[in-house]
Amino acid sequence: MVVEDAPAGIAAGRAAGATVLALVTSHPEESLAEAHHVVQDLSRVRSTPAGLHLTIA
């Protein structure tokens, strides 16, 4: 899993075969559309002790 806030980082993460979570910060949400998931901030992101399972509430 890659957490990114820029279109170039999203593209790099996808090119590497990673699941990409985009965080809306300095770029508009529309420019982050290539990410698998987009969130406004990390307050609603939860992971499990098992590792890579991610729940976006």
Side-chain angles (χ1 to χ4, degrees):
M1 163 118 1
V2 171
V3 179
E4 260 300 336
D5 67 346
I10 293 167
R14 288 188 64 103
T19 297
V20 180
L21 173 67
L23 181 61
V24 179
T25 58
S26 58
H27 294 278
E29 186 170 345
E30 302 79 37
S31 70
L32 308 174
E34 294 299 315
H36 295 96
H37 308 283
V38 179
V39 294
Q40 295 296 315
D41 59 58
L42 295 177
S43 67
R44 298 175 59 191
V45 176
R46 303 283 182 258
S47 62
T48 66
L52 297 178
H53 176 75
L54 190 65
T55 301
I56 302 170

